[in-house]
Amino acid sequence: MSEKGMFVIVGCGGAGGPAAMMSRKINPDLDVTVIRAEPNFIVR
């Protein structure tokens, strides 16, 4: 049995959102938690 990895990202407006999506794409078994204050994801 393998351990499930955990990843916490603080902030989503700059590089946090893309980092969360990329880390989930690279490793689907990773548990990603994003802590953010803004109500909407900013797409640039």
Side-chain angles (χ1 to χ4, degrees):
M1 184 200 271
S2 64
E3 274 188 44
K4 187 171 185 176
M6 295 182 163
F7 192 51
V8 176
I9 298 175
V10 177
C12 192
M21 292 186 293
M22 181 75 69
S23 62
R24 203 43 207 252
K25 189 178 285 190
I26 291 172
N27 187 359
D29 294 331
L30 195 63
D31 185 19
V32 179
T33 303
V34 178
I35 300 172
R36 63 184 207 165
E38 55 261 4
N40 298 319
F41 178 70
I42 300 170
V43 178
R44 298 178 190 193

